[in-house]
Amino acid sequence: MKLSARIVASAAALALAGLTATACAPSTSDNSSKTDEKSGTLRVWLFQEVNNKPKQAVVNSAVTAFEQRHEDVKVDVAYIPVDTRAQKIKAAFNDPKSAPDLIEYGNTDTAGYVNDGGLADVSEEFAAWDEAADTDPTAKQSVTVDGKIYGAPFFVGVRALYYRTDVFKDLGIKPPKTQAALVAAAKKIREERPELYGLVVGGAYTYGAMPFIWANGGELATEKGGAYTSAIDSPAARKGIKAYTRLFGDDNCPATKCAEMGGNDTIEAFSSGKAGMAIGGDFNHQAVEDGKVKGKYAVVPLPGVKSGDIAPAFAGGNNVGVLKSTSHRTLAVSLMKSLAGKDTQRKQFDAMGFLPTFTDVRKEVAEREPFVEPFVRTLGAGAKFVPASPGWATIDASLVLPNMFQEVVSGRQGVDAAAGDAAKKMDESFQKSAG
C-alpha cells in the first residue's frame, strides 16, 4: 500500500494536534545539577511493553553504538511499568541522587513534568540537531511548553479495532461500521463462542474508553482563557460512558474479569486467543503478531455512532527527555538523540509497529507496510487529545476516570453520580494546577 505524502503529513498533524501546554512555575525546588561530567554511567528509564524483547533489542543496538562512540561511558537501562510511572518518576524528581539521567514519558505527562521542575530545557540542543528539521511540527509541540523544548518525540500512537477474521467468517459477521453493529457483533461472538470475550474491554483502560465518549459528542473538559473545566458529566459524555460500561457483562466481557483490566491486559487477552475483538494501538501490532492469533486477525478503524463515521481516537505517543538533575547533561542529550533518532525509530517501527515522528520516516514505512493503513485513516478522521493542563497528570495518576468506570461497572454508582464525582475531582486538579 502506498500513501501520499499529503495523507501521511495531515494524519501526523491530527495525531498530535493541540499538545502545546502552558504550565505554572515548577512546584518543586530547583534541582539543576551544577556539573556536566563527560564519563561514567548514564541511567535510563524506559517503559516496559506487553512484549518487551523487541524493544530491548532495538534499544540495545542504539546503546551499543552510543557506548562505542563514548569509550568511558556505560549506559544502564531499566524498564519500568507504565501504570506506576507517575509515582516513580515524581519520586525521582524529588531525589536527584537516585534519579536517572534520561526517561521515556507519555506525551500526556509533558506539562505536568515541566510544572514539577523535573525535565531539562533542551531547546538549544534540539534546534541544533540536524534530524529535528524533519520532526512533524505537531510532534514537536508534544515536547513544547511555553515555547521551550523538554525532550524529543519518540513515537506517535493511535488505536483501532483488532478483530478475529476466522471467528468473523465462521459466524458470518462483517466488520462493524457503527457502534451498534460493534455491540451486536460482540454479543454474537460471546453467545456462539462462550469461551471468548466478544469485545474485550477494561475498566482501567482509559484510552480505550475515550473514543466512546468522543463518538457520542462528549468531551473530557472545556477550555476558556487557558483554564479548564471538566465536561465528563455533560449529557453527551454520560451517553458515551453508558455506551462503554454496558460492554461489561456476561453477554460480552464479565465485570468480574474485565473491570480491573488495563490496556495491556486487553491486548494480552486478544493475542492469546481469548477474545473476538480488542481496541489496540499500532504499537500493539508486534505483540499481536507474536501471539496465537497471528494470521487470523485484521484491523479496521473503530466505528463511530453513524455508519461510515470513525470514532475519534486518542492521539497518543511517547517522548524521551533529560532530567534537570542529571550530572551528565551533554551525554544525556546525545543519548536522547540516539534513542529518538531516525535510525532507532525505523528499527522501532520494524520491531514494534511504533509510528515514527519524523515525516520522512513515517512516509517511508507507511509505503511498505499495509497494517499502518487503518491507523492512518483513524488519524485522518480526527484524533483528539487530553486537556493540555499540568493538572491532567494528577487526574491520570489518581485514576479518576478508571475509578469512575469501575464504580459504574461494579454497580456501586450510576453513571450520573459517578460522572459527577469524577468531574469534581478533575476540577480540583485543574484549579490546583492553575497557579
Side-chain angles (χ1 to χ4, degrees):
M1 178 202 68
K2 185 172 183 178
L3 297 173
S4 71
R6 180 183 62 81
I7 292 175
V8 174
S10 62
L14 287 163
L16 290 165
L19 301 190
T20 302
T22 301
C24 302
S27 59
T28 57
S29 59
D30 185 7
N31 58 6
S32 302
S33 175
K34 303 300 187 291
T35 61
D36 187 12
E37 300 172 14
K38 301 302 191 294
S39 63
T41 298
L42 287 178
R43 298 179 61 217
V44 182
W45 287 356
L46 301 179
F47 290 160
Q48 183 173 332
E49 308 298 333
V50 176
N51 179 358
N52 208 50
K53 290 183 179 179
K55 181 174 184 175
Q56 284 181 291
V58 173
V59 171
N60 289 345
S61 176
V63 166
T64 298
F66 182 84
E67 289 178 338
Q68 289 174 346
R69 295 194 301 270
H70 303 84
E71 295 183 357
D72 297 326
V73 177
K74 295 294 181 183
V75 178
D76 178 16
V77 180
Y79 293 88
I80 65 173
V82 177
D83 295 342
T84 57
R85 72 190 187 280
Q87 301 92 321
K88 190 174 181 66
I89 292 176
K90 183 64 177 291
F93 290 166
N94 292 320
D95 184 14
K97 292 182 180 180
S98 65
D101 301 277
L102 198 68
I103 60 170
E104 177 180 357
Y105 64 94
N107 59 11
T108 61
D109 298 325
T110 306
Y113 288 172
V114 171
N115 186 60
D116 289 338
L119 294 175
D121 175 359
V122 295
S123 301
E124 292 184 10
E125 294 95 333
F126 191 90
W129 184 21
D130 290 343
E131 292 188 356
D134 294 316
T135 301
D136 184 271
T138 45
K140 182 179 177 181
Q141 288 179 350
S142 76
V143 292
T144 303
V145 177
D146 284 345
K148 297 179 181 179
I149 295 174
Y150 293 88
F154 198 30
F155 69 86
V156 61
V158 69
R159 292 165 177 82
L161 182 69
Y162 285 75
Y163 71 95
R164 288 278 297 274
T165 52
D166 56 337
V167 174
F168 271 51
K169 181 178 179 180
D170 290 347
L171 301 182
I173 304 173
K174 294 182 179 180
K177 294 185 178 180
T178 65
Q179 284 193 2
L182 174 69
V183 173
K187 291 183 176 180
K188 184 170 184 177
I189 293 169
R190 181 68 175 174
E191 181 180 6
E192 298 291 335
R193 299 286 184 84
E195 74 279 8
L196 299 178
Y197 302 122
L199 169 63
V200 60
V201 289
Y205 190 8
T206 303
Y207 300 116
M210 284 179 178
F212 291 85
I213 294 172
W214 289 325
N216 282 277
E219 296 291 346
L220 302 179
T222 58
E223 182 268 337
K224 185 176 181 179
Y228 285 88
T229 302
S230 176
I232 199 66
D233 59 344
S234 70
R238 294 200 305 267
K239 187 175 180 180
I241 295 168
K242 288 177 182 177
Y244 186 68
T245 54
R246 284 173 180 170
L247 292 166
F248 294 81
D250 292 339
D251 59 352
N252 177 53
C253 200
T256 53
K257 295 183 177 180
C258 303
E260 301 298 324
M261 283 189 181
N264 285 355
D265 297 319
T266 64
I267 292 301
E268 288 175 356
F270 182 80
S271 63
S272 63
K274 298 177 181 178
M277 295 180 286
I279 299 169
D282 53 272
F283 43 87
N284 296 129
H285 174 257
Q286 192 58 48
V288 177
E289 276 288 289
D290 292 340
K292 293 182 179 179
V293 298
K294 179 179 175 64
K296 297 183 289 187
Y297 75 94
V299 185
V300 293
L302 185 69
V305 174
K306 297 179 181 179
S307 181
D309 285 354
I310 294 175
F314 165 66
N318 288 355
N319 303 322
V320 179
V322 174
L323 266 65
K324 187 183 290 187
S325 61
T326 180
S327 59
H328 298 87
R329 181 188 170 98
T330 299
L331 288 170
V333 170
S334 180
L335 181 57
M336 177 191 76
K337 294 177 181 179
S338 295
L339 291 175
K342 292 185 178 182
D343 183 59
T344 301
Q345 288 201 19
R346 285 190 186 94
K347 293 176 180 176
Q348 192 166 244
F349 174 83
D350 291 337
M352 302 292 291
F354 290 176
L355 290 177
T357 63
F358 298 101
T359 54
D360 56 339
V361 180
R362 186 187 293 122
K363 178 184 177 183
E364 170 193 320
V365 301
E367 288 175 342
R368 61 180 171 81
E369 289 292 353
F371 87 83
V372 171
E373 190 270 343
F375 300 104
V376 173
R377 282 178 58 200
T378 299
L379 292 171
K384 297 176 77 70
F385 197 63
V386 299
S389 162
W392 180 257
T394 302
I395 293 167
D396 194 26
S398 56
L399 306 177
V400 172
L401 296 186
N403 288 339
M404 176 188 70
F405 295 127
Q406 290 166 353
E407 284 292 298
V408 176
V409 169
S410 68
R412 290 189 293 268
Q413 283 189 306
V415 170
D416 291 356
D421 286 348
K424 292 177 182 177
K425 293 174 182 176
M426 290 176 68
D427 284 337
E428 287 174 1
S429 295
F430 288 142
Q431 290 166 9
K432 286 180 180 179
S433 67

